[in-house]
Amino acid sequence: MSTLTSIISRLRMRHLRLLIALHEHGTVQKAAESVALTQPGATKALNEIEAMLGVQLFQRTHKGLETTDMGLCAVRYARLINTDLAHFHEELESMQQGRGGRLAVGLIMGAVPLISAALSRVRSLQPAISIEVVEDTSARLLNLLDRGRLDAAICRSRVNQRPHLYTSLDIHEEELAVICHPDNPLTRHSALTLADLSDTSWIVYPANMPMRLLLEREFHEAKVPFPLYPIETASAFTSISMLGHDRESVALMSVDASKPFVDAGMMARLPIELLSRSEPYELVTRKGASVSPASQLFMKEVALVGNLHADADAHIKWLCSKS
């Protein structure tokens, strides 16, 4: 394999664009058309890339091209470089035009109230920043972070099998509650246990997600069978909507995410104590990624509204130095 210096001196942006196109289209002809090359030119460029790297990136088959494991790695970094350059151009253009740059952040549903407060502070301090907010599961947010689509995410890096790829700070301890429709008969009780809910219909998170694992652990430690035939969804909004139409079901949810609905009388919190605690939210960045001024401002405001408070500046300087 070539040295890093050799790769830097020989690799061109057209090589990166071609790698992405070959992976997406699966044929040299279609990939060549999408990047404005002739088919022989694309074939020559691919041979140059593989010779440069010393590895096979695509397997030639009768159906077209199949991306090898090495190829998937190359494509992933090609996308990151391409995205970083696009963001660089967008941010530079914004600054030249007197605007405040760009910020793309991701968050899990339970962190919405916390991040809403932080983004509100960012907006008041720097109104010209263009902000994109993506809400999804931790696994999907980390994938977007890997691809350079997000500057930072509020999620749990431990759901990824390679948490060492990220730099993170714990920022908020999550409290959980079991909620239901306010007319659910269970709300008449002053205290409940999981045994009291053994025959209740549940809306739960999909298998292997942190809150699903926590609920399964709660039932296991209480020696109560896990509910049969639950409805599975990772969307808190879907859970709330379904509970609004079903006065018998219950759901496990973040107290922060459910509080506006409970306070408005749309939902009720059941009097049940959970022994387990979920993993805290983390402020996560991709290790090695550049940190823009807009990102630094966002991270500082997250730290201030989270649990870092007085040490916010020190924590964010540390986080930026590791990214």
Side-chain angles (χ1 to χ4, degrees), residues 208-283:
N208 297 320
M209 289 189 65
M211 288 181 67
R212 170 65 173 269
L213 295 173
L214 183 149
L215 187 61
E216 289 176 348
R217 184 167 63 248
E218 286 281 327
F219 272 93
H220 175 75
E221 292 178 355
K223 296 182 172 53
V224 177
F226 193 77
L228 295 174
Y229 316 117
I231 295 175
E232 298 186 358
T233 177
S235 168
F237 181 77
T238 298
S239 297
I240 291 289
S241 182
M242 296 187 70
L243 289 175
H245 292 278
D246 183 351
R247 301 187 179 189
E248 304 296 327
S249 294
V250 300
L252 180 68
M253 192 173 295
S254 158
V255 168
D256 290 336
S258 62
K259 188 176 185 300
F261 302 97
V262 173
D263 290 348
M266 298 169 60
M267 293 291 136
R269 179 176 176 178
L270 291 177
I272 181 170
E273 183 179 355
L274 299 173
L275 301 178
S276 302
R277 291 290 177 266
S278 66
E279 294 178 350
Y281 305 146
E282 301 167 74
L283 172 56

Side-chain angles (χ1 to χ4, degrees), residues 88-132:
F88 163 68
H89 178 265
E90 180 183 345
E91 188 165 337
L92 193 63
E93 189 177 58
S94 295
M95 294 175 73
Q96 287 177 330
Q97 296 175 3
R99 300 197 300 268
R102 177 188 177 280
L103 175 66
V105 298
L107 65 155
I108 53 179
M109 176 62 189
V112 168
L114 174 73
I115 303 312
S116 295
L119 288 175
S120 206
R121 291 169 62 96
V122 169
R123 175 65 79 188
S124 65
L125 292 170
Q126 181 50 274
I129 292 179
S130 174
I131 301 175
E132 177 187 2

Side-chain angles (χ1 to χ4, degrees), residues 1 49-58 68 70-71 74:
M1 181 176 288
I49 300 169
E50 291 186 325
M52 180 196 317
L53 299 179
V55 295
Q56 185 176 11
L57 303 178
F58 297 91
T68 65
M70 292 287 193

Side-chain angles (χ1 to χ4, degrees), residues 141-161:
L141 292 176
L142 292 174
N143 180 262
L144 291 174
L145 207 57
D146 289 342
R147 291 160 50 194
R149 303 300 297 175
L150 297 176
D151 298 304
I154 309 300
C155 60
R156 298 180 176 92
S157 64
R158 299 171 186 87
V159 305
N160 191 285
Q161 294 181 343

